[in-house]
Amino acid sequence: MDTSIRNLPAVAQRPQQSGPQEPPGTTEFSGRSVYVGAGSSNIPSPPPTHSLLDPPGPDYSCLPPACTSIANNPGTGLVSGDDLPATFKRCLLRLNEAYDTNFSELADTLSDFVPMSSLKAPFWKIFHEVIDPPFLESNSSQKIRELGQKIRQLYIDEHDVLATKHAYPRISELTIVLCMHFLEQKFILEHPEPIQQSSVDVTRSDEASTDCQHLLPAWVRKTFFEKLLSGIDKSGRATAGIRVKTFIKDNQSGLEKDMSLQQPATGHLKFSGLRYDDIPGATVAKLYHSKLSDHSRDFSIDLRGLIEALGQTQSRCWPASTSDPLENAMKRVANKTHKSRLKPENFFNNKLEPFRDRNARTLLELIKYFQNRVTRQHRNGPTREAPEMGEKYNVAHQALQESSAGIGQRSRTMKESLRIFLTNCCENNKRVKRRLESFFDKT
């Protein structure tokens, strides 16, 4: 038996339009806390946590879905859940299961369409359709603006380097996962109030669930594919558009029907519960958390803050003559230690490594190098550092050697060693050098 549902609350009924439709609802955030954990389930039990500034309201019969956390900041190392490493494969599998759509296959399909020119790069066009500056600036929700800006910066940082290395399969995965995560969060934030089933103007199939919560995931999926097709069209890749339309047609869970209706009809989908920290590159990999925490404590250095200050040290938009401080650092350390594994071409052999992991590995290796130098010099007596290390570094390193009497002094000299060595390795990279100087001035 079909169930007819009319007009979402607080939204005026719109006339039928031929183009892509904006989702129902308002962009105002009611004040309820959205930091309540992963929204992998749409069962309204237990009730969601509310902000202290917004006490719980009446007992609704149809509660909003639990929401994925967006409170974690890049590089803070805030984690929850299992200890398995974040991978795009895992992200796509969660999207596959939640939306009954093979996003893994879609990523493979899109990876075949490499950019014809920088102005017509399909992945950037697709991403720009979902998250663009005018949309973020005009959105009334501060949380949506902050999340969008964070995701946008992550995409810019990773996209440019991956494009330089022609890693289009990874760019395809990055684009899909970031766009879907943003749309999930956007819909959850825009619809904190329950949706009354009797006010939705669609006809659903007999086997579709009548739980009103399940309409929001269908809106997420519909919106994503509308933006996907629009971005492909703007990139001028007609063949890609044909293949995506074929993908939509072959979907067995109602995607084609949802795309043809003003409002989606599929009711058995759910949110993936994908957290920002689950996305590779969004935060430092869990593998490095323990050592970063130990060294941060031992030397009173905010290493995660330093990772963020270094930022993306590679960029396609920089002049070819601009040096990479991390490559310079490892080249100098490799020359001093005579270890081939530390040479840049070996140490940075993973071309798909996110920049936060790249920064973390480099800092850990530098701290290990400074510690080993101190140990050897205590055992063998003082030796002169190589000239390329710089006279200021020699003074700081000598202080580190002589500072065994006090923990505070060791902390200060380790900070000074890192500051002098890293800023010296920046050479003509003024942007990274300014970020480092600003970081160390505040510590």
Side-chain angles (χ1 to χ4, degrees):
M1 179 179 65
D2 289 344
T3 303
S4 295
I5 315 177
R6 290 188 176 77
N7 197 20
L8 286 171
V11 182
Q13 180 70 28
R14 293 187 299 261
Q16 188 77 15
Q17 299 177 11
S18 58
Q21 301 299 305
E22 288 300 318
T26 174
T27 57
E28 292 292 341
F29 177 52
S30 71
R32 284 195 182 147
S33 172
V34 296
Y35 310 124
V36 295
S40 59
S41 173
N42 293 333
I43 301 174
S45 177
T49 302
H50 296 275
S51 169
L52 293 177
L53 300 178
D54 180 26
D59 184 17
Y60 297 116
S61 61
C62 183
L63 295 171
C67 170
T68 264
S69 169
I70 61 171
N72 294 346
N73 296 318
T76 60
L78 298 176
V79 295
S80 63
D82 58 57
D83 292 326
L84 294 174
T87 66
F88 282 108
K89 181 178 180 180
R90 295 185 71 206
C91 292
L92 290 169
L93 288 175
R94 289 175 70 169
L95 292 173
N96 294 352
E97 180 181 358
Y99 292 92
D100 204 359
T101 302
N102 195 337
F103 285 97
S104 303
E105 179 184 337
L106 179 63
D108 291 338
T109 299
L110 294 177
S111 67
D112 292 337
F113 297 96
V114 301
M116 299 176 65
S117 70
S118 59
L119 297 178
K120 292 289 186 179
F123 299 113
W124 176 248
K125 293 289 184 181
I126 294 165
F127 182 81
H128 196 268
E129 284 294 290
V130 177
I131 310 177
D132 66 311
F135 165 77
L136 295 178
E137 292 169 4
S138 63
N139 196 286
S140 60
S141 170
Q142 181 181 354
K143 289 180 174 62
I144 291 178
R145 292 196 303 270
E146 290 175 351
L147 177 64
Q149 290 163 359
K150 185 164 62 173
I151 289 178
R152 183 178 173 83
Q153 189 58 55
L154 173 61
Y155 191 78
I156 291 172
D157 288 335
E158 296 297 340
H159 178 277
D160 282 355
V161 175
L162 293 172
T164 301
K165 297 174 171 46
H166 306 293
Y168 301 117
R170 177 54 57 88
I171 299 177
S172 179
E173 295 171 340
L174 179 71
T175 304
I176 290 174
V177 170
L178 288 182
C179 287
M180 283 296 294
H181 177 68
F182 176 77
L183 289 174
E184 278 193 339
Q185 296 299 300
K186 175 178 178 291
F187 272 80
I188 292 169
L189 285 166
E190 287 181 342
H191 302 278
E193 297 296 335
I195 299 173
Q196 299 301 323
Q197 174 186 322
S198 60
S199 63
V200 182
D201 187 18
V202 296
T203 299
R204 302 201 286 188
S205 62
D206 290 335
E207 58 274 4
S209 168
T210 58
D211 188 341
C212 58
Q213 293 183 61
H214 292 175
L215 292 175
L216 292 183
W219 262 115
V220 170
R221 187 176 71 167
K222 174 181 170 66
T223 303
F224 170 77
F225 278 95
E226 287 175 344
K227 301 293 187 181
L228 174 62
L229 289 170
S230 178
I232 290 173
D233 181 63
K234 291 180 179 180
S235 69
R237 307 305 293 273
T239 305
I242 293 172
R243 291 182 63 177
V244 170
K245 289 176 182 177
T246 301
F247 177 90
I248 293 172
K249 183 178 180 180
D250 292 342
N251 179 271
Q252 299 297 312
S253 64
L255 176 56
E256 184 179 26
K257 181 179 180 181
D258 288 349
M259 296 292 289
S260 65
L261 296 172
Q262 183 178 7
Q263 295 172 334
T266 306
H268 63 275
L269 308 180
K270 61 182 180 180
F271 289 106
S272 70
L274 190 67
R275 300 176 309 119
Y276 186 78
D277 286 354
D278 296 327
I279 302 172
T283 59
V284 178
K286 297 178 184 179
L287 173 66
Y288 308 116
H289 287 180
S290 177
K291 287 186 178 179
L292 289 172
S293 296
D294 290 344
H295 289 321
S296 294
R297 181 187 64 250
D298 293 342
F299 296 106
S300 300
I301 303 174
D302 179 13
L303 289 179
R304 292 186 175 90
L306 182 53
I307 288 169
E308 295 300 309
L310 280 166
Q312 177 61 275
T313 63
Q314 308 173 93
S315 179
R316 185 171 56 171
C317 65
W318 291 350
S321 60
T322 303
S323 61
D324 179 354
L326 298 191
E327 289 195 3
N328 290 339
M330 296 314 300
K331 180 179 180 181
R332 297 182 185 194
V333 172
N335 288 340
K336 189 63 182 176
T337 60
H338 307 291
K339 295 180 179 179
S340 61
R341 72 172 182 85
L342 299 181
K343 292 181 179 179
E345 60 270 26
N346 297 326
F347 192 75
F348 301 121
N349 62 345
N350 179 6
K351 304 304 181 184
L352 303 181
E353 184 177 32
F355 80 87
R356 290 186 172 89
D357 292 351
R358 189 173 187 263
N359 294 358
R361 286 199 309 116
T362 304
L363 290 177
L364 292 174
E365 196 64 47
L366 290 180
I367 290 175
K368 180 181 178 182
Y369 168 74
F370 293 150
Q371 289 178 312
N372 288 342
R373 291 293 298 177
V374 169
T375 300
R376 286 195 297 272
Q377 289 188 11
H378 271 297
R379 184 173 62 245
N380 302 327
T383 59
R384 182 169 178 80
E385 292 285 348
E388 67 270 15
M389 292 295 184
E391 187 61 33
K392 289 183 178 180
Y393 166 78
N394 294 338
V395 173
H397 192 71
Q398 185 66 27
L400 184 64
Q401 177 192 355
E402 297 170 352
S403 65
S404 57
I407 295 176
Q409 181 64 17
R410 287 202 300 273
S411 298
R412 288 191 293 273
T413 50
M414 177 61 83
K415 289 180 185 177
E416 189 67 2
S417 296
L418 285 172
R419 183 186 71 81
I420 294 171
F421 185 64
L422 287 171
T423 53
N424 189 36
C425 288
C426 286
E427 296 181 350
N428 64 341
N429 197 323
K430 296 180 180 179
R431 187 181 303 180
V432 176
K433 189 173 184 178
R434 284 195 298 267
R435 294 201 300 256
L436 286 173
E437 289 174 344
S438 177
F439 170 81
F440 283 108
D441 285 346
K442 295 177 181 178
T443 58

